[in-house]
Coordinates of all heavy atoms in Angstrom, one line a residue:
V1 N 9.5 -7.0 -8.8 CA 8.1 -6.9 -9.3 C 8.1 -6.2 -10.6 O 8.9 -5.2 -10.8 CB 7.3 -6.1 -8.3 CG1 5.9 -5.9 -8.7 CG2 7.3 -6.7 -6.9
T2 N 7.3 -6.6 -11.5 CA 7.2 -5.9 -12.8 C 6.5 -4.6 -12.6 O 5.7 -4.4 -11.7 CB 6.5 -6.7 -13.9 OG1 5.2 -7.0 -13.4 CG2 7.2 -8.0 -14.1
I3 N 6.7 -3.6 -13.5 CA 6.1 -2.3 -13.4 C 4.6 -2.3 -13.4 O 4.0 -1.6 -12.6 CB 6.7 -1.4 -14.5 CG1 8.2 -1.1 -14.2 CG2 5.9 -0.1 -14.6 CD1 8.9 -0.3 -15.2
P4 N 3.9 -3.0 -14.3 CA 2.4 -3.0 -14.2 C 1.9 -3.6 -12.9 O 0.9 -3.1 -12.4 CB 2.0 -3.9 -15.4 CG 3.2 -3.9 -16.4 CD 4.4 -3.7 -15.5
M5 N 2.6 -4.6 -12.4 CA 2.1 -5.2 -11.1 C 2.3 -4.2 -10.0 O 1.5 -4.0 -9.1 CB 2.9 -6.5 -10.8 CG 2.4 -7.2 -9.6 SD 3.3 -8.7 -9.3 CE 3.0 -9.7 -10.8
A6 N 3.4 -3.4 -10.0 CA 3.7 -2.4 -9.0 C 2.7 -1.3 -9.0 O 2.3 -0.8 -8.0 CB 5.1 -1.9 -9.2
K7 N 2.3 -0.9 -10.2 CA 1.3 0.1 -10.3 C -0.1 -0.3 -9.8 O -0.8 0.5 -9.1 CB 1.1 0.5 -11.8 CG 2.3 1.3 -12.3 CD 2.1 1.8 -13.7 CE 3.3 2.6 -14.2 NZ 3.2 3.0 -15.6
E8 N -0.4 -1.6 -9.9 CA -1.7 -2.1 -9.3 C -1.5 -2.2 -7.8 O -2.5 -1.8 -7.1 CB -2.0 -3.5 -9.8 CG -2.4 -3.5 -11.3 CD -3.8 -2.9 -11.4 OE1 -4.7 -3.0 -10.6 OE2 -4.0 -2.2 -12.5
V9 N -0.4 -2.6 -7.3 CA -0.1 -2.6 -5.8 C -0.2 -1.2 -5.3 O -0.8 -1.0 -4.2 CB 1.2 -3.3 -5.5 CG1 1.6 -3.1 -4.1 CG2 1.2 -4.8 -5.9
R10 N 0.4 -0.2 -6.0 CA 0.4 1.1 -5.5 C -1.0 1.7 -5.4 O -1.4 2.3 -4.4 CB 1.2 2.0 -6.5 CG 1.1 3.5 -6.1 CD 1.9 4.4 -6.9 NE 1.6 4.3 -8.4 CZ 2.3 4.9 -9.3 NH1 3.3 5.7 -8.9 NH2 2.1 4.7 -10.6
A11 N -1.9 1.4 -6.4 CA -3.3 1.9 -6.3 C -4.0 1.3 -5.1 O -4.7 2.1 -4.4 CB -4.0 1.5 -7.6
M12 N -3.9 0.0 -4.9 CA -4.6 -0.6 -3.7 C -4.0 -0.1 -2.4 O -4.7 0.1 -1.4 CB -4.6 -2.1 -3.8 CG -5.5 -2.6 -4.9 SD -7.1 -1.9 -5.0 CE -7.8 -2.2 -3.4
A13 N -2.7 0.0 -2.3 CA -2.0 0.4 -1.1 C -2.4 1.8 -0.7 O -2.7 2.1 0.5 CB -0.5 0.3 -1.2
E14 N -2.5 2.7 -1.7 CA -2.8 4.1 -1.4 C -4.3 4.2 -0.9 O -4.6 4.9 -0.1 CB -2.5 4.9 -2.6 CG -1.0 5.0 -2.8 CD -0.5 6.3 -3.4 OE1 -1.3 7.2 -3.6 OE2 0.7 6.3 -3.7
K15 N -5.2 3.4 -1.5 CA -6.6 3.4 -1.1 C -6.7 2.9 0.3 O -7.4 3.4 1.1 CB -7.4 2.5 -2.1 CG -7.7 3.1 -3.4 CD -8.5 2.2 -4.3 CE -8.5 2.8 -5.7 NZ -9.2 1.8 -6.6
M16 N -6.0 1.8 0.6 CA -6.1 1.2 2.0 C -5.5 2.2 3.0 O -6.1 2.3 4.1 CB -5.4 -0.1 2.1 CG -6.0 -1.2 1.3 SD -7.6 -1.6 1.9 CE -8.6 -1.3 0.5
I17 N -4.4 2.9 2.7 CA -3.9 3.8 3.7 C -4.8 5.0 3.9 O -5.0 5.5 5.0 CB -2.5 4.3 3.2 CG1 -1.5 3.1 3.3 CG2 -2.0 5.5 4.1 CD1 -0.1 3.4 2.7
T18 N -5.4 5.5 2.8 CA -6.4 6.6 2.9 C -7.6 6.2 3.7 O -8.0 7.0 4.6 CB -6.8 7.0 1.5 OG1 -5.7 7.4 0.7 CG2 -7.8 8.2 1.5
I19 N -8.1 5.0 3.6 CA -9.2 4.6 4.4 C -8.8 4.4 5.8 O -9.5 4.8 6.8 CB -9.8 3.2 3.8 CG1 -10.4 3.5 2.5 CG2 -10.8 2.6 4.8 CD1 -10.8 2.2 1.8
A20 N -7.6 3.9 6.1 CA -7.1 3.6 7.4 C -6.8 4.9 8.2 O -6.8 4.9 9.5 CB -5.9 2.7 7.4
K21 N -6.6 6.0 7.5 CA -6.3 7.3 8.2 C -7.5 7.7 9.1 O -7.3 8.4 10.1 CB -5.9 8.4 7.2 CG -4.5 8.2 6.7 CD -4.1 9.1 5.6 CE -4.8 10.5 5.5 NZ -4.2 11.3 4.4
D22 N -8.7 7.3 8.7 CA -9.9 7.7 9.5 C -9.9 7.0 10.8 O -10.4 7.6 11.8 CB -11.1 7.4 8.7 CG -12.4 7.9 9.3 OD1 -12.3 8.9 10.0 OD2 -13.4 7.2 9.1
N23 N -9.5 5.7 10.9 CA -9.5 4.9 12.2 C -10.8 4.8 12.9 O -10.9 4.9 14.1 CB -8.4 5.5 13.1 CG -8.0 4.4 14.1 OD1 -8.3 3.2 14.0 ND2 -7.3 4.8 15.1
S24 N -11.9 4.7 12.1 CA -13.2 4.4 12.7 C -13.6 3.0 12.5 O -12.9 2.2 11.8 CB -14.3 5.3 12.0 OG -14.4 5.0 10.7
L25 N -14.7 2.6 13.1 CA -15.2 1.2 13.0 C -15.5 0.9 11.5 O -15.2 -0.2 11.0 CB -16.4 1.0 13.9 CG -17.0 -0.4 13.8 CD1 -15.9 -1.5 14.2 CD2 -18.2 -0.5 14.7
H26 N -16.1 1.9 10.8 CA -16.5 1.7 9.4 C -15.3 1.5 8.6 O -15.2 0.6 7.7 CB -17.3 2.9 8.9 CG -17.7 2.8 7.5 ND1 -18.6 1.9 7.0 CD2 -17.3 3.6 6.4 CE1 -18.7 2.0 5.7 NE2 -18.0 3.1 5.4
S27 N -14.2 2.3 8.8 CA -13.0 2.1 8.0 C -12.3 0.8 8.3 O -11.7 0.2 7.4 CB -12.1 3.3 8.2 OG -11.6 3.4 9.6
K28 N -12.3 0.4 9.5 CA -11.7 -0.9 9.9 C -12.5 -2.1 9.2 O -11.8 -3.0 8.7 CB -11.7 -1.1 11.4 CG -10.7 -0.3 12.1 CD -10.8 -0.5 13.6 CE -9.8 0.4 14.3 NZ -9.7 0.3 15.7
R29 N -13.8 -2.0 9.1 CA -14.5 -3.0 8.4 C -14.3 -3.0 6.9 O -14.2 -4.0 6.2 CB -16.0 -2.8 8.7 CG -16.4 -3.3 10.1 CD -17.8 -3.1 10.4 NE -18.1 -3.6 11.7 CZ -19.3 -3.4 12.4 NH1 -20.2 -2.8 11.8 NH2 -19.4 -3.9 13.5
K30 N -14.1 -1.8 6.3 CA -13.8 -1.7 4.9 C -12.5 -2.3 4.6 O -12.3 -3.0 3.6 CB -13.9 -0.2 4.4 CG -15.3 0.3 4.3 CD -15.3 1.8 3.9 CE -14.9 2.0 2.5 NZ -15.0 3.4 2.2
V31 N -11.5 -2.0 5.4 CA -10.1 -2.5 5.2 C -10.1 -4.1 5.4 O -9.5 -4.8 4.6 CB -9.1 -1.9 6.1 CG1 -7.8 -2.6 6.1 CG2 -8.9 -0.4 5.7
M32 N -10.8 -4.5 6.4 CA -10.9 -6.0 6.7 C -11.6 -6.8 5.6 O -11.4 -7.9 5.5 CB -11.5 -6.3 8.1 CG -10.5 -5.9 9.2 SD -9.0 -6.9 9.2 CE -9.6 -8.5 9.5
A33 N -12.5 -6.1 4.8 CA -13.2 -6.7 3.7 C -12.2 -7.0 2.6 O -12.4 -8.0 1.8 CB -14.3 -5.8 3.2
Y34 N -11.1 -6.3 2.5 CA -10.1 -6.5 1.5 C -8.9 -7.2 2.0 O -8.4 -8.1 1.4 CB -9.7 -5.1 0.8 CG -8.8 -5.3 -0.4 CD1 -9.4 -5.7 -1.6 CD2 -7.4 -5.1 -0.3 CE1 -8.6 -5.8 -2.7 CE2 -6.6 -5.3 -1.4 CZ -7.2 -5.7 -2.6 OH -6.4 -5.9 -3.7
I35 N -8.3 -6.8 3.1 CA -7.2 -7.4 3.7 C -7.7 -8.5 4.7 O -8.2 -8.1 5.8 CB -6.3 -6.4 4.4 CG1 -5.8 -5.3 3.4 CG2 -5.1 -7.0 5.1 CD1 -5.1 -4.2 4.1
T36 N -7.4 -9.7 4.4 CA -8.0 -10.8 5.3 C -7.1 -11.1 6.5 O -7.6 -11.8 7.4 CB -8.3 -12.0 4.5 OG1 -7.1 -12.4 3.8 CG2 -9.3 -11.7 3.4
K37 N -5.8 -10.8 6.4 CA -4.9 -11.1 7.5 C -5.0 -10.0 8.6 O -4.7 -8.8 8.3 CB -3.5 -11.2 7.1 CG -3.3 -12.4 6.1 CD -1.9 -12.7 5.8 CE -1.8 -13.9 4.9 NZ -0.6 -14.6 5.0
E38 N -5.4 -10.4 9.8 CA -5.6 -9.4 10.9 C -4.3 -8.7 11.3 O -4.4 -7.5 11.6 CB -6.3 -10.1 12.1 CG -7.7 -10.5 11.8 CD -8.4 -11.1 13.1 OE1 -7.9 -10.8 14.2 OE2 -9.3 -11.8 12.9
D39 N -3.2 -9.4 11.3 CA -2.0 -8.8 11.7 C -1.5 -7.7 10.7 O -1.0 -6.7 11.1 CB -0.9 -9.8 11.9 CG -0.6 -10.7 10.7 OD1 -1.5 -10.8 9.9 OD2 0.5 -11.2 10.6
V40 N -1.8 -7.9 9.5 CA -1.5 -6.9 8.4 C -2.4 -5.6 8.6 O -1.9 -4.5 8.6 CB -1.6 -7.5 7.0 CG1 -1.4 -6.4 6.0 CG2 -0.6 -8.6 6.8
A41 N -3.7 -5.9 8.8 CA -4.6 -4.8 9.0 C -4.3 -4.0 10.3 O -4.3 -2.8 10.4 CB -6.0 -5.3 9.1
K42 N -3.9 -4.7 11.4 CA -3.5 -4.1 12.6 C -2.3 -3.2 12.4 O -2.2 -2.1 12.9 CB -3.2 -5.2 13.7 CG -2.9 -4.6 15.0 CD -2.7 -5.8 16.0 CE -2.3 -5.2 17.4 NZ -2.0 -6.3 18.4
K43 N -1.3 -3.7 11.7 CA -0.1 -2.9 11.4 C -0.5 -1.6 10.6 O 0.1 -0.6 10.8 CB 1.0 -3.7 10.7 CG 2.2 -3.0 10.5 CD 3.3 -3.8 10.0 CE 4.6 -3.0 9.9 NZ 5.8 -3.8 9.7
L44 N -1.4 -1.8 9.7 CA -1.8 -0.7 8.8 C -2.4 0.4 9.7 O -2.1 1.6 9.6 CB -2.8 -1.2 7.8 CG -3.5 -0.1 6.9 CD1 -2.4 0.6 6.0 CD2 -4.6 -0.7 6.1
F45 N -3.3 0.0 10.6 CA -4.0 1.0 11.5 C -3.1 1.6 12.6 O -3.2 2.8 12.9 CB -5.3 0.4 12.1 CG -6.4 0.4 11.2 CD1 -6.7 -0.7 10.4 CD2 -7.2 1.6 11.0 CE1 -7.8 -0.7 9.6 CE2 -8.3 1.6 10.1 CZ -8.6 0.4 9.4
E46 N -2.2 0.8 13.1 CA -1.4 1.3 14.3 C -0.1 1.9 13.9 O 0.4 2.8 14.6 CB -1.1 0.1 15.2 CG -2.4 -0.4 15.9 CD -2.1 -1.6 16.8 OE1 -0.9 -2.0 16.9 OE2 -3.0 -2.0 17.5
D47 N 0.5 1.5 12.8 CA 1.9 2.0 12.5 C 1.9 2.8 11.2 O 2.4 3.9 11.2 CB 2.8 0.8 12.3 CG 3.0 0.0 13.5 OD1 2.8 0.5 14.6 OD2 3.3 -1.2 13.4
I48 N 1.3 2.3 10.1 CA 1.4 3.0 8.8 C 0.5 4.2 8.7 O 1.0 5.3 8.3 CB 1.2 2.0 7.7 CG1 2.2 0.8 7.8 CG2 1.2 2.6 6.3 CD1 1.9 -0.3 6.9
A49 N -0.8 4.1 8.9 CA -1.7 5.2 8.7 C -1.4 6.4 9.6 O -1.5 7.5 9.1 CB -3.1 4.7 8.9
P50 N -1.1 6.3 10.9 CA -0.8 7.5 11.7 C 0.4 8.3 11.1 O 0.5 9.5 11.3 CB -0.5 7.0 13.1 CG -1.2 5.7 13.1 CD -1.1 5.1 11.8
K51 N 1.4 7.6 10.5 CA 2.5 8.2 9.9 C 2.2 9.2 8.8 O 2.8 10.2 8.6 CB 3.6 7.2 9.5 CG 4.9 7.8 9.0 CD 6.0 6.7 8.8 CE 5.6 5.5 8.1 NZ 6.7 4.7 7.7
Y52 N 1.1 8.8 8.1 CA 0.6 9.6 6.9 C -0.6 10.4 7.2 O -1.3 10.8 6.3 CB 0.4 8.7 5.7 CG 1.6 7.9 5.3 CD1 1.7 6.6 5.5 CD2 2.6 8.6 4.7 CE1 2.8 5.9 5.1 CE2 3.8 7.9 4.3 CZ 3.8 6.6 4.5 OH 4.9 5.9 4.1
K53 N -0.9 10.8 8.5 CA -2.1 11.5 8.9 C -2.2 12.9 8.2 O -3.3 13.3 7.8 CB -2.1 11.6 10.4 CG -3.4 12.0 11.0 CD -4.4 10.9 10.9 CE -5.7 11.3 11.6 NZ -6.7 10.3 11.3
D54 N -1.1 13.6 8.0 CA -1.1 14.9 7.5 C -0.7 14.9 6.0 O -0.6 16.0 5.4 CB -0.2 15.8 8.3 CG -0.6 15.9 9.7 OD1 -1.8 15.9 10.0 OD2 0.3 16.0 10.6
V55 N -0.6 13.8 5.4 CA -0.2 13.7 4.0 C -1.4 13.4 3.1 O -2.1 12.5 3.4 CB 0.9 12.6 3.8 CG1 1.4 12.6 2.3 CG2 2.1 12.9 4.7
N56 N -1.5 14.1 2.0 CA -2.7 13.8 1.1 C -2.2 13.1 -0.1 O -1.9 13.7 -1.2 CB -3.3 15.2 0.6 CG -4.0 15.9 1.8 OD1 -4.5 15.2 2.7 ND2 -3.9 17.2 1.8
G57 N -2.1 11.8 0.0 CA -1.7 10.9 -1.1 C -0.2 10.9 -1.4 O 0.6 11.5 -0.7
G58 N 0.2 10.0 -2.3 CA 1.6 9.9 -2.6 C 2.4 9.1 -1.5 O 3.5 9.5 -1.1
Y59 N 1.8 8.0 -1.1 CA 2.5 7.3 0.0 C 3.5 6.3 -0.5 O 4.3 5.8 0.3 CB 1.4 6.5 0.8 CG 0.2 7.3 1.1 CD1 -1.1 6.9 0.7 CD2 0.2 8.4 1.9 CE1 -2.2 7.6 1.0 CE2 -0.9 9.1 2.2 CZ -2.1 8.7 1.7 OH -3.3 9.4 2.0
T60 N 3.5 6.0 -1.8 CA 4.4 5.0 -2.3 C 5.3 5.5 -3.3 O 5.0 6.6 -3.9 CB 3.6 3.8 -2.9 OG1 2.8 4.3 -3.9 CG2 2.8 3.1 -1.8
R61 N 6.4 4.8 -3.6 CA 7.4 5.2 -4.6 C 7.8 4.0 -5.4 O 8.0 2.9 -4.8 CB 8.6 5.8 -3.9 CG 9.8 6.1 -4.9 CD 11.0 6.5 -4.1 NE 10.7 7.7 -3.2 CZ 11.3 7.9 -2.1 NH1 12.2 7.0 -1.6 NH2 11.0 8.9 -1.3
I62 N 7.8 4.1 -6.7 CA 8.3 3.0 -7.6 C 9.6 3.4 -8.2 O 9.8 4.4 -8.8 CB 7.2 2.8 -8.7 CG1 5.9 2.3 -8.1 CG2 7.8 1.8 -9.7 CD1 4.8 2.1 -9.1
I63 N 10.6 2.5 -7.9 CA 12.0 2.7 -8.4 C 12.3 1.7 -9.5 O 12.2 0.5 -9.2 CB 13.0 2.6 -7.3 CG1 12.7 3.7 -6.2 CG2 14.4 2.9 -7.8 CD1 13.4 3.5 -4.9
K64 N 12.6 2.1 -10.7 CA 12.9 1.1 -11.8 C 14.3 0.6 -11.6 O 15.2 1.3 -11.3 CB 12.7 1.8 -13.1 CG 11.3 2.2 -13.4 CD 11.2 2.9 -14.8 CE 9.8 3.3 -15.0 NZ 9.6 4.0 -16.3
T65 N 14.4 -0.8 -11.8 CA 15.7 -1.4 -11.6 C 16.3 -2.0 -12.9 O 17.4 -2.5 -12.8 CB 15.6 -2.5 -10.5 OG1 14.6 -3.5 -10.9 CG2 15.2 -2.0 -9.2
G66 N 15.6 -2.0 -14.0 CA 16.1 -2.5 -15.2 C 15.4 -3.7 -15.6 O 14.5 -4.2 -15.0
P67 N 15.8 -4.3 -16.8 CA 15.1 -5.5 -17.3 C 15.4 -6.8 -16.6 O 16.5 -6.9 -16.1 CB 15.6 -5.6 -18.7 CG 16.9 -4.8 -18.7 CD 16.8 -3.8 -17.7
R68 N 14.5 -7.7 -16.5 CA 14.7 -9.0 -15.9 C 15.5 -9.8 -16.9 O 15.4 -9.7 -18.1 CB 13.3 -9.7 -15.7 CG 13.4 -11.0 -15.0 CD 12.1 -11.5 -14.4 NE 11.0 -11.3 -15.3 CZ 9.7 -11.4 -14.9 NH1 9.5 -11.6 -13.6 NH2 8.8 -11.3 -15.7
R69 N 16.4 -10.7 -16.4 CA 17.3 -11.5 -17.2 C 16.6 -12.4 -18.2 O 17.0 -12.6 -19.3 CB 18.3 -12.2 -16.3 CG 19.4 -12.9 -17.1 CD 20.4 -13.5 -16.2 NE 21.4 -14.2 -17.0 CZ 22.6 -14.3 -16.7 NH1 23.1 -13.7 -15.6 NH2 23.4 -14.9 -17.4
G70 N 15.6 -13.1 -17.7 CA 15.0 -14.2 -18.5 C 14.2 -13.7 -19.7 O 14.4 -14.1 -20.8
D71 N 13.2 -12.7 -19.4 CA 12.3 -12.3 -20.5 C 12.4 -10.8 -20.8 O 11.6 -10.3 -21.5 CB 10.9 -12.7 -20.2 CG 10.4 -12.1 -18.9 OD1 11.2 -11.5 -18.2 OD2 9.2 -12.3 -18.6
A72 N 13.3 -10.1 -20.2 CA 13.5 -8.7 -20.4 C 12.3 -7.8 -19.9 O 12.1 -6.7 -20.5 CB 13.9 -8.4 -21.8
A73 N 11.5 -8.3 -19.0 CA 10.4 -7.5 -18.5 C 11.0 -6.4 -17.5 O 12.0 -6.7 -16.8 CB 9.5 -8.4 -17.7
E74 N 10.5 -5.2 -17.6 CA 11.0 -4.1 -16.8 C 10.6 -4.4 -15.3 O 9.5 -4.6 -15.0 CB 10.4 -2.8 -17.2 CG 11.0 -2.2 -18.5 CD 12.5 -1.8 -18.3 OE1 12.8 -1.3 -17.2 OE2 13.2 -2.1 -19.2
M75 N 11.7 -4.4 -14.5 CA 11.5 -4.7 -13.1 C 11.6 -3.4 -12.3 O 12.2 -2.4 -12.7 CB 12.5 -5.7 -12.6 CG 12.5 -7.0 -13.3 SD 10.9 -7.8 -13.1 CE 11.1 -8.3 -11.4
C76 N 11.0 -3.4 -11.0 CA 11.1 -2.2 -10.2 C 10.9 -2.6 -8.7 O 10.6 -3.8 -8.4 CB 10.0 -1.2 -10.6 SG 8.4 -1.8 -10.4
I77 N 11.1 -1.7 -7.9 CA 10.9 -1.9 -6.4 C 9.9 -0.9 -6.0 O 9.9 0.3 -6.4 CB 12.2 -1.6 -5.7 CG1 13.3 -2.6 -6.1 CG2 12.0 -1.6 -4.1 CD1 14.7 -2.3 -5.5
I78 N 8.9 -1.3 -5.2 CA 7.9 -0.4 -4.7 C 8.1 -0.3 -3.2 O 8.4 -1.3 -2.5 CB 6.5 -0.9 -5.0 CG1 5.4 0.1 -4.5 CG2 6.2 -2.3 -4.4 CD1 4.0 -0.1 -5.1
E79 N 8.1 0.9 -2.7 CA 8.3 1.2 -1.2 C 7.4 2.3 -0.7 O 6.9 3.1 -1.5 CB 9.8 1.5 -1.0 CG 10.2 2.8 -1.7 CD 11.7 3.1 -1.5 OE1 12.5 2.2 -1.1 OE2 12.1 4.2 -1.8
L80 N 7.2 2.3 0.6 CA 6.5 3.4 1.2 C 7.4 4.6 1.4 O 8.6 4.4 1.8 CB 5.9 2.9 2.6 CG 4.8 1.9 2.5 CD1 4.5 1.4 3.9 CD2 3.6 2.5 1.9
V81 N 7.0 5.7 1.1 CA 7.8 6.9 1.3 C 7.9 7.3 2.7 O 7.0 7.3 3.4 CB 7.2 8.1 0.4 CG1 8.0 9.4 0.6 CG2 7.2 7.7 -1.0

């Protein structure tokens, strides 16, 4: 993934995790308005959000891997911490 794309993914992932930490009906509806796949939303609420219950932000990490061979775009890896 290129760095600008990873930064956009990080912003949306952190917002979704923050909303999912509440685990109310309202938060489930807000997440389902953005994430249309039910299995992904289910995993977010059951596995990912409880792991970050006591953490205030900073759920992802971007690791730079160097330039892409074809067009020399800066590449990176995005992962959950």
